[in-house]
């Protein structure tokens, strides 16, 4: 590369391929890719809310938990948390159960290990029981605050057992490598400190009479790992030990409440990465979205733990000052991992800037500007996108309210839905596959709309045309280069001779015409 030899990566590869770290269908998207790609999906808008949930929990823990406030203050705490967590229901529903469970677990852990009470078996139980009503209140408020949304929005779907191919270890480590290094280092350091301050005699006393139970537990643990290996779930060989390790460290008496919270969310993140190996979303494309949505959750959780535990507690306080072999080796290894990970923002950002539909398009924040100089070929015909650009701008400037648009329906990853995308106005049919995926039980209705849109442009049957316009309450009909290239020319001709009868021409530029349906005046 230094001598000028081109690397075997093509425009788009540097930023796209890392979002597909697992072979097959799964999406391994992560926050930087989301923002770099300009991907305004629900998971993007939910990211600051999920971070706010963790901030609320950290404030709750640092404030002393439930015992720190009276009844009114506790209700206020739970109401604030419920509002934040519940807002994930309409924003990105996938996130709500995960962060609600994290909140419940954190509240119970903080209550269970409350050091203001007497350390006895009875007080432990009482602490836990006293926290349950507040946990119930949190769950109740999460649901009650968003009842209007829950009543009007539902989807018949669910999860099912996944029996397909699993994540290879190399994919798992490639995706999580830097975070794993930071978390593993923190865990090792915490474990070494714990062993140093624990006398051997105390350990022997604790294990006295439990030898049989310990051996049985080890055999069971090994059996589970072997069973996972026979099913190809090699991720379990990392996730299960790390989950167990998280639990052991969480139970250590000397740990602060915030450290227990970190161990808990770390174990939860490992559980998430294991969960997607066994379950998928019904009617999904393989386990594409199960991995996609849950890996993003794990990314945020691992990021917090790795930053605070790995960097904050280990690198800054210990190994940065050490000049022995272990310190030098760890700093070198961390530096190498950081350089490798940091190459993505550098190379991917440059690649995304270069990967343009039009090389002459201006570099600006105008997401439509590329159309003024772009030419696009689809299904054997070529379109000058400047015509669509001008027509879309006309609609943006002249159309008010939310009238329904009827435009040609292209298959996925083509120049389809361009007027609904850039105006935000509703269309008769959106992106075919996404519509069917999100409406599994009624997917045939999506196909019906696809067929009817095609029939509308192809037919010259006046009665059928009127029926479709009325059925979908269409206000504007688009006849542009895409429609002329996709549909039968005889059907396209009807728009001219029905002008003034069923609709009026309100815009024309080149081959692009916009008609306003008369009944919608």
């Amino acid at each position: 590369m230094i001598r000028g030899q081109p690397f075997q990566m093509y425009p788009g590869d540097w930023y796209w391929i890392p979002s597909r770290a697992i072979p097959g269908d799964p999406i391994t998207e992560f926050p930087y890719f989301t923002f770099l790609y300009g991907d305004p999906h629900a998971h993007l808008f939910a990211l600051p809310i999920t971070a706010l949930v963790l901030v609320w929990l950290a404030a709750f823990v640092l404030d002393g938990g439930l015992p720190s406030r009276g009844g009114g203050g506790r209700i206020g705490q739970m109401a604030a948390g419920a509002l934040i967590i519940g807002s994930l229901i309409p924003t990105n529903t996938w996130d709500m159960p995960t962060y609600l469970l994290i909140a419940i677990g954190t509240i119970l852990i903080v209550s269970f290990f409350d050091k203001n009470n007497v350390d006895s078996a009875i007080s432990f139980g009482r602490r836990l029981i006293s926290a349950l009503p507040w946990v119930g209140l949190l769950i109740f408020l999460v649901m009650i605050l968003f009842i209007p949304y829950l009543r009007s929005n539902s989807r018949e779907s669910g999860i099912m057992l996944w029996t397909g191919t699993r994540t290879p270890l190399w994919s798992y480590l490639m995706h999580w490598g830097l975070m794993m290094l930071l978390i593993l280092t923190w865990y090792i350091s915490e474990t070494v400190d714990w062993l140093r301050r624990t006398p051997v005699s105390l350990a022997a006393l604790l294990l006295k009479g439990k030898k049989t139970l310990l051996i049985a537990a080890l055999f069971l643990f090994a059996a589970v790992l072997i069973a996972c290996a026979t099913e190809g779930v090699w991720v379990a060989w990392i996730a299960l030990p790390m989950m167990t390790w998280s639990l052991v460290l969480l139970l250590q008496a000397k740990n602060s409440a915030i450290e227990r919270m970190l161990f808990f969310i770390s174990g939860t993140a490992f559980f998430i990465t294991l969960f997607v190996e066994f379950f998928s979303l019904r009617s999904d494309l393989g386990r594409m979205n199960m991995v996609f949505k849950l890996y993003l959750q794990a990314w945020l959780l691992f990021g917090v733990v790795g930053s605070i535990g790995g960097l904050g507690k280990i690198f800054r306080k210990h190994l940065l000052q050490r000049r022995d072999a272990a310190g030098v080796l760890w700093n070198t290894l961390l530096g190498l991992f950081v350089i490798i990970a940091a190459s993505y923002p550098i190379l991917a950002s440059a690649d995304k800037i270069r990967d343009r539909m039009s090389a002459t398009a201006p570099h600006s924040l105008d997401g439509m500007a590329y159309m003024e100089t772009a030419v696009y070929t689809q299904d054997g015909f070529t379109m000058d996108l400047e015509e669509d650009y001008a027509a879309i701008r006309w609609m943006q400037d002249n159309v008010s309210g939310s009238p329904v648009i009827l435009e040609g329906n292209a298959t996925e990853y083509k120049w389809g839905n361009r007027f609904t995308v850039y105006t935000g106005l509703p269309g008769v049919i959106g992106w075919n596959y996404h519509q069917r995926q999100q409406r599994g039980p009624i997917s045939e209705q999506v196909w019906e709309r696809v067929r009817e849109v095609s029939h509308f442009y192809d037919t010259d049957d006046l009665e059928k045309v009127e029926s479709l316009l009325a059925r979908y309450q269409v206000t504007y009909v688009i006849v542009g280069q895409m429609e002329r290239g996709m549909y039968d020319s005889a059907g396209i001709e009807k728009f001219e001779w029905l002008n003034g009868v069923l609709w009026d021409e309100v815009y024309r530029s080149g081959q692009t015409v916009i008609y306003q349906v008369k009944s919608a005046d």
Side-chain angles (χ1 to χ4, degrees), residues 130-208:
S130 66
L132 292 179
W134 298 104
V135 168
L137 177 63
L138 177 67
I139 298 171
F140 173 76
L141 290 175
V142 166
M143 299 304 173
I144 203 71
L145 288 173
F146 291 88
I147 272 190
Y149 180 86
L150 291 169
R151 282 180 172 175
S152 59
N153 293 269
S154 63
R155 178 185 173 190
E156 295 182 19
S157 185
I159 62 174
M160 63 180 185
L161 287 173
W162 174 250
T163 57
T165 57
R166 275 29 187 260
T167 304
L169 271 182
W170 64 264
S171 292
Y172 189 76
L173 293 174
M174 180 170 64
H175 191 70
W176 302 114
L178 175 58
M179 297 178 184
M180 293 289 182
L181 174 64
L182 295 173
I183 294 170
L184 180 64
T185 305
W186 181 38
Y187 279 26
I188 292 174
S189 175
E190 291 292 313
T191 303
V192 169
D193 289 344
W194 171 43
L195 294 176
R196 281 174 178 168
R197 64 176 183 271
T198 304
V200 176
S201 58
L202 178 60
L205 181 63
L206 291 173
L207 295 175
K208 186 178 181 181

Side-chain angles (χ1 to χ4, degrees), residues 204-220:
L205 181 63
L206 291 173
L207 295 175
K208 186 178 181 181
K210 300 182 178 65
K211 184 177 180 180
T212 303
L213 182 63
L214 180 61
I215 293 174
L218 290 174
F219 269 106
L220 178 61

